[in-house]
Amino acid sequence: MAQATIGNSEFDRDTAVTARPGDQGVFDAHLSAGWTILRAVNGGYLLATAARALGQILPHPDPFTITAHYLTPSEPGPAVVRTDVVRAGRTMSTGQARLLQTDGAGQEVERLRVTATHGDLAALPDDVRTSAKPFAIPPYERCVGRADGPGVADAAAFSSGSTEITDRLDIRLDPRTAGWALGEPSGRGEIRAWFGLADGRDADPLSLLLAVDALPPTAFDLGLGGWVPTVELTVHIRCRPAPGLLRIATRTRNLAGGFLEEDGEVWDSEDRLVVQSRQLARVR
């Protein structure tokens, strides 16, 4: 099978939006069942769909910072994205989007609300001054995936009984952060993994929005199970990723009152920190 390319992959087709003629800033979308967990659509996939719509109304191509508040669980099927330009400047522009679906009573229900500031990643200076270092992880071949045993297969499916999204992802967990899959969580609240799309499509800014929400929840490494829905997710994209697999680390330091934060970092094949993220999630 030929490797998928940016613009010609399942991810691109499933995040496609179509402008409504005569209805400025309004786009139709179809949320694919292929990106679901426990029948709910993955939050990173939803964010990428909304960001694709924003990219069509803003004069700058790339999300620099984007924040989503998840209001109600999304379901596979038709959706509409309503967008607005908040400000268009010379080097950056800001917009907002609302993703909605129609309920059984025929009423529109808002699923998430997004605010984003866009710019041109290619135009940024290449000066980097950082204390951030790539985290340690074994080579891809020494990390564990769905083919390595029933426990890991269940882990890759996020203990949800649903493998739809994992069929589309190439995730290899660091064995040191995968003990929870075999009933031996470390208690540190850390997940590290190699990440790519199963069809071989390289990463771009839109697929990075999926990547930061694609790993198993850090709550699993604390010994907790079940659905961990995202309440809010903020993503900072620092540069356009180089071709090749990504390395993702997520960690939590504080679970309190039934909520935890997850801090994420994504490194590309050239050892560049391409994404930083934080989300607030509810532990059920």
Side-chain angles (χ1 to χ4, degrees), residues 223-246:
L224 303 173
W227 189 31
V228 185
T230 303
V231 177
E232 181 266 348
L233 172 61
T234 294
V235 185
H236 297 163
I237 299 179
R238 309 306 301 270
C239 62
R240 189 175 292 275
L245 290 171
L246 303 170

Side-chain angles (χ1 to χ4, degrees), residues 144 146 150-160 166 171-193 214-226 250 262:
V144 295
R146 296 177 63 195
V152 177
D154 291 343
F158 306 166
S159 298
S160 67
T166 56
I171 295 177
R172 302 278 293 186
L173 299 170
D174 183 339
R176 293 169 296 188
T177 67
W180 52 271
L182 303 175
E184 299 176 359
S186 75
R188 294 188 299 268
E190 286 186 78
I191 304 289
R192 296 188 295 270
L215 297 191
T218 53
F220 289 3
D221 194 45
L222 297 176
L224 303 173
T250 57
E262 281 193 358

Side-chain angles (χ1 to χ4, degrees), residues 6-131:
I6 295 172
N8 184 24
S9 72
E10 185 176 24
F11 173 78
D12 295 297
R13 293 187 290 273
D14 288 350
T15 56
V17 296
T18 304
R20 284 188 181 177
D23 206 346
Q24 187 173 5
V26 180
F27 300 85
D28 289 303
H30 186 88
L31 304 182
S32 170
W35 306 89
T36 54
I37 304 167
L38 269 176
R39 298 178 299 280
V41 184
N42 172 264
Y45 165 77
L46 294 172
L47 184 55
T49 302
R52 194 176 289 281
L54 283 170
Q56 295 197 26
I57 68 160
L58 295 175
H60 299 96
D62 303 314
F64 281 7
T65 177
I66 186 166
T67 297
H69 287 266
Y70 295 83
L71 308 177
T72 55
S74 299
E75 300 175 351
V80 59
V81 184
R82 301 185 182 276
T83 64
D84 297 288
V85 177
V86 176
R87 178 184 180 275
R90 185 175 61 86
T91 59
M92 292 190 298
S93 53
T94 299
Q96 59 184 8
R98 296 183 300 136
L99 189 149
L100 308 101
Q101 293 186 295
T102 302
D103 66 13
Q107 301 296 313
E108 278 196 336
V109 178
E110 189 169 0
R111 302 304 193 193
L112 75 156
R113 186 170 297 198
V114 175
T115 302
T117 294
H118 279 218
D120 186 353
L121 290 169
L124 295 179
D126 57 7
D127 179 41
V128 177
R129 307 180 192 191
T130 181
S131 61

Side-chain angles (χ1 to χ4, degrees), residues 135 137 191-196 210-215 246-250 264-267:
F135 57 89
I137 187 171
I191 304 289
R192 296 188 295 270
W194 293 90
F195 174 87
L210 168 70
V212 297
D213 195 42
L215 297 191
L246 303 170
R247 288 159 290 167
I248 305 177
T250 57
E265 56 184 60
V266 182
W267 295 79

